[in-house]
Every structure is written in C-alpha cells, then in structure tokens.
Amino acid sequence: MALEFDNRYARDFPSLYSAQEPMGFAEPQLVVANDALVAELGLAEEQERLADWFGGRLPLPGAQPLAQKYTGHQFGVYNPMLGDGRGLLLGEVKDGQGGFWDLHLKGAGPTPYARGGDGRAVLRSCIREFLASEALHHLGIPTTRALCVVAGELPVQREHVERGAMLTRVARTHIRFGHFEHCFHRGLGEELKGLMDYVIERHWPDLQGQPAKVFFERVVHKTARMVALWQAYGFAHGVMNTDNFSILGDTFDFGPYGFLDDYQPGFVCNHSDHSGRYAFDAQPSIALWNLNCLAMALSPLIASDDLVAALKQFQPALAGHYLKTMGRRLGLCEVSGQDAPLINELLALLADEAQDYNLAFRWLGEARQDDKLIPCRDHYVDRARFDAWAERYLARLRLQDVGDQGRQLAMNDANPLYVLRNYLAQNAIAAAEQGDFSEVRRLYGLLQNPFTDQPGMAAYAQKAPDWGKRLEVSCSS
C-alpha cells in the first residue's frame, strides 16, 4: 500500500520553508522500527525499504522534503534565526480514518537554517527520542511519535566522534509556537492567519467558523493537559523553548529529557541549564510563559482582553488535570480539591526521603488496607511520618466503596512499573553503539506495556543505581 500524501504546508506556505532533499547514508541500517505505526501508515509490506527511505538513500514516493522556517524564545531570549537546521518535513500523509500525519526526517544534513551546524543527528540522540516518544505515548501523555531509527556509516562530531543516524518522527503537525512568532515579528499577517486556519481545518475542524479567541483557548487547554501529565508522571522535558512547543499540545523535540528517579521537585535534567530555568517544578510556569509569547504573536488576530481571559484558564485547567491524574494514581474513584493536601503531603514525604517517585505509587497499590499498608512503610526511614500520612489516606479510602482488589487493579493501571530511566536508555545506547540493537528493541517492547508486570523483566522495574542517577544529559543528546 502506497502512502497517500497531501502536502498542503508545501502548497500554502512557500515563504515559510526551503525545499531540500535529504543527504542520505550510503549504507543505511535499520536499528528499530515502530511496528504498530508501520502498520497504521500502511507500510507493513514495505519493511525492506524502510532503511533506504528513512535513511535518505532512496526518495520516498510522494514526499516533498522541506525545512520549515520559524523562530522562538530560547532560554527566555528571542532568536530570529531558528528553523529546521537538521530536519526535513517529508510530507503530510493521510491515514485510513481521514486524519493527517507529518513524516519528518531528523539528521538528514544541513539546511539554510543550520546556523553553521552539520545538520546531522547521532545514534544516541535518535535512540533517546525514539524511546521517549513511545514511552510517553504508552503512558497516555500527548506526544509526537517515532517511526524508526536508521543508522549510517557517517562519523559525526559532538563531544566526541559518534555514529550518525536518522530518526523519522510522526506527528499530527510540526507547527510550533515559533511559527506564529516568526510571522508576527516579520509582519507576515497573511501567513499568521493562514497557519491558524490550517491547524483548525486539518486538526480541529469543530472550531471552523468560531472566533479566533476559541483557537487560542484550545491551545491553552491542550498545553495545560500535556504539562499536567508531565508533572503527574515525573517527566522533565529539559528545553522548553517556544520553538519546542507544538501548537496542538503534543510533547515535542526530545533532547535532554529525564524521568524522575528519586522525587526531586527541583530536578534539572539538562546539565547545560545552569540557571535551572527548565527545572521540573518550573515546567508549569514556563508553559504559561510560552503561552504568553504565543498570545503576543496572535495579538493581530485576537483582542487583548480575550487573550488575557484565555491565559487565565491555564492554571485551573492544569490543576484540574493534575488533580484527576494524581487521584487515579492514589486509587481515588473521585477526586476534589479537598484531596490536594493528601497528595501534597505524600509528595513532601517523598522529596524529604528521596524516594523513588514512580515505585512509591506501585508500593501503595500493592499494599492492603486491612494491613494498614505495613509492607509499604518498610521503604521509609521516618515511619512515624509515613504512618501519620497513611492513617489519613486509609480514612480517605474508606469513603469510597472499593475493596483492596479493585483499588489495587485500578492503581496498577495508573502507575507504571516500567519507566524509561536514563540509565536504561544509556545501557541500550551503549550496546547499539557496538552494533547490538537487541537492547533497544527489548526496551521498546517493554515500554509498550508500562503498567503490566512482564515475566523476566524484574530488573527493569528496580530503582536506578547511584551511577544511573548521576548521568549528565545535554542538548546534544
């Protein structure tokens, strides 16, 4: 089955891209493929061509490769020189349900927006993005996806020489906050409105005919939900620049990300972030900051009072999504603002004891109410403090008519046993750099079912070793 392309971005926005062909690998090698996405896109019978198509050796039929132009705020500073420096939008593919997906090739050589860079990606960073996007997807967090990773023979210089690779990203759109910022700051009014209309018609057709303010309200709410889920599941993005924010509220552009091991509210996953601007507990405020930048960009289309009113919806929307998710993680059938102190007290305890964030919820789910959570308390040093919290928690559980078995099943469905810890990704990368891709594939398979105990995989459900907590990850990752 051939891919059905409808490359509207290429047709409608000639001023917002540069056409360019990929600089492919001479001998591309498939590292890992997303079998579910391959099938969904109708490529199941084309497995033998994936490496050639998505390693750039052969042109993908129907594709119109292009590098998008956008701008954005990087670490709070506006940079007008941004764009796809090492990525190419291959085209927009229509699926069997009438939806559209961007195919995007990362690491295909320098573009006019490379700013002196080599335009390449390395095997390490491609594996990290592949695993992270799929891990988030299977946790239920809105995200772009990854179709495959293809390795090449090309050496690429980063902190040291590494093996070059390409990643194919699948996303509902690659339009970012930075696209709108570029149009605003360059005075491209027609393109500004065109981008909004494009997003609505392609992805939110229910907004057609509605005032422009409704579009911005949708972006605010989608962004709030995404970040609330990041906070609930302990995901730190690392580089929350406005050019790394999808207009649809999908997690976008994976660099120095990290899932929490020990619960550290101020965790900074990017060792290049010396000020801690993008610390874990700062992510909600940074998301709102980014939305303010987008509001300015949309100001020619939306009245200032309407922009302010929409921005005021962010905090309550985020709090609502966060509270609901954390309630599920604690086995609460219904949750209200009155449950916030119970959640916050547990988080304070986890922080003070540097407890493993995700395993702490699995321990709670496995403990029995009639045993007063005694096996769970053994993980804590300050058992008196845990007992005091557990007494309040048990009293709250008694307000709902759910027994231990039902609560435990519900909690296991909400609390992952397997998380993409940095050291697990690093182990897979180290093997892949030696030519062994089996660990990448094993880890990918495991993360497709993060909530289910899988035979023989107990080692992947353990706390991170001390060395694994100290891994440094930078923007080159």
Side-chain angles (χ1 to χ4, degrees):
M1 175 180 175
L3 294 172
E4 182 181 351
F5 281 93
D6 181 13
N7 300 323
R8 182 176 165 187
Y9 186 93
R11 293 195 304 271
D12 289 2
F13 304 106
S15 64
L16 300 181
Y17 70 84
S18 297
Q20 180 162 328
E21 293 297 322
M23 297 174 63
F25 296 138
E27 298 179 7
Q29 182 180 14
L30 185 65
V31 175
V32 61
N34 184 330
D35 291 335
L37 264 183
V38 167
E40 187 176 337
L41 293 174
L43 293 171
E45 298 180 1
E46 306 286 355
Q47 287 274 3
E48 73 281 359
R49 301 188 183 182
L50 293 181
D52 285 338
W53 281 344
F54 301 114
R57 194 174 77 86
L58 294 178
L60 179 64
Q64 291 179 261
L66 59 88
Q68 293 183 324
K69 172 58 185 168
Y70 46 83
T71 59
H73 283 78
Q74 296 186 308
F75 288 88
V77 179
Y78 182 69
N79 185 345
M81 305 303 292
L82 303 180
D84 285 334
R86 60 174 176 170
L88 296 175
L89 176 62
L90 297 176
E92 301 162 66
V93 175
K94 189 175 183 180
D95 64 24
Q97 290 71 48
F100 289 91
W101 298 93
D102 283 0
L103 293 185
H104 185 273
L105 192 60
K106 188 173 183 178
T111 76
Y113 316 116
R115 294 179 290 160
D118 59 21
R120 293 297 184 180
V122 296
L123 184 60
R124 166 176 52 97
S125 63
C126 291
I127 289 172
R128 282 180 57 82
E129 175 158 350
F130 182 95
L131 293 174
S133 58
E134 290 307 301
L136 289 182
H137 173 72
H138 292 288
L139 286 172
I141 299 174
T143 182
T144 58
R145 306 288 302 280
L147 182 67
C148 61
V149 174
V150 175
E153 74 295 337
L154 186 73
V156 177
Q157 180 69 51
R158 290 296 180 261
E159 285 88 350
H160 57 274
V161 175
E162 301 185 52
R163 187 176 183 184
M166 296 188 197
L167 175 127
T168 303
R169 179 193 290 145
V170 178
R172 293 187 294 160
T173 188
H174 277 75
I175 294 180
R176 316 146 186 257
F177 287 15
H179 280 83
F180 292 88
E181 290 185 276
H182 171 66
C183 292
F184 171 74
H185 288 288
R186 289 292 302 274
L188 304 176
E190 184 177 342
E191 287 86 347
L192 182 71
K193 186 177 186 304
L195 284 171
M196 182 183 71
D197 292 341
Y198 168 89
V199 172
I200 290 172
E201 292 169 22
R202 272 285 204 241
H203 304 288
W204 295 334
D206 60 305
L207 300 187
Q208 287 183 294
Q210 297 291 316
K213 68 176 184 178
V214 182
F215 168 77
F216 184 56
E217 290 171 353
R218 177 70 60 86
V219 178
V220 168
H221 282 266
K222 291 292 186 180
T223 303
R225 180 174 181 267
M226 174 187 72
V227 177
L229 292 173
W230 288 359
Q231 302 307 114
Y233 283 103
F235 176 75
H237 183 280
V239 190
M240 292 174 63
N241 300 330
T242 58
D243 59 296
N244 292 339
F245 260 49
S246 164
I247 199 68
L248 298 183
D250 291 338
T251 311
F252 196 75
D253 271 2
F254 296 86
Y257 67 81
F259 283 88
L260 295 181
D261 291 313
D262 299 340
Y263 184 65
Q264 303 175 49
F267 173 62
V268 178
C269 61
N270 180 0
H271 87 267
S272 303
D273 183 6
H274 304 297
S275 69
R277 176 181 175 84
Y278 297 140
F280 175 72
D281 58 1
Q283 292 185 146
S285 62
I286 291 296
L288 181 57
W289 193 94
N290 289 352
L291 285 165
N292 273 272
C293 293
L294 179 62
M296 177 178 287
L298 292 173
S299 60
L301 305 176
I302 305 172
S304 60
D305 287 349
D306 291 332
L307 291 169
V308 171
L311 289 168
K312 287 182 178 178
Q313 297 175 33
F314 175 79
Q315 187 56 43
L318 182 141
H321 288 299
Y322 180 76
L323 188 64
K324 180 180 179 180
T325 307
M326 294 301 288
R328 289 184 62 240
R329 298 203 72 179
L330 283 174
L332 305 181
C333 299
E334 295 184 6
V335 67
S336 71
Q338 295 180 343
D339 295 310
L342 185 70
I343 295 168
N344 292 334
E345 289 168 13
L346 175 61
L347 294 178
L349 175 59
L350 298 183
D352 289 346
E353 295 216 358
Q355 290 286 359
D356 187 280
Y357 179 61
N358 282 293
L359 286 180
F361 287 92
R362 291 291 294 205
W363 298 333
L364 279 175
E366 293 165 357
R368 294 179 57 83
Q369 294 171 238
D370 50 10
D371 290 336
K372 296 187 177 181
L373 311 181
I374 287 176
C376 186
R377 74 192 292 268
D378 291 342
H379 294 283
Y380 293 83
V381 175
D382 190 343
R383 295 182 178 178
R385 184 178 175 185
F386 174 81
D387 289 342
W389 178 84
E391 185 176 343
R392 291 189 289 276
Y393 175 54
L394 291 169
R396 174 64 180 83
L397 291 177
R398 286 193 289 269
L399 297 178
Q400 58 188 37
D401 187 22
V402 178
D404 262 331
Q405 185 175 7
R407 177 187 63 85
Q408 290 171 332
L409 288 173
M411 289 184 70
N412 282 347
D413 285 343
N415 294 308
L417 181 60
Y418 308 106
V419 179
L420 182 59
R421 302 175 186 274
N422 263 339
Y423 88 96
L424 294 176
Q426 183 56 41
N427 286 343
I429 289 165
E433 290 177 332
Q434 298 301 314
D436 179 2
F437 305 142
S438 61
E439 185 62 15
V440 175
R441 297 167 182 171
R442 182 180 299 109
L443 190 53
Y444 163 53
L446 183 73
L447 295 170
Q448 293 178 67
N449 294 285
F451 303 101
T452 304
D453 191 356
Q454 300 178 42
M457 295 296 179
Y460 294 85
Q462 304 299 315
K463 293 182 180 181
D466 287 342
W467 68 265
K469 299 176 185 179
R470 296 192 298 270
L471 287 173
E472 290 190 341
V473 188
S474 69
C475 290
S476 72
S477 302

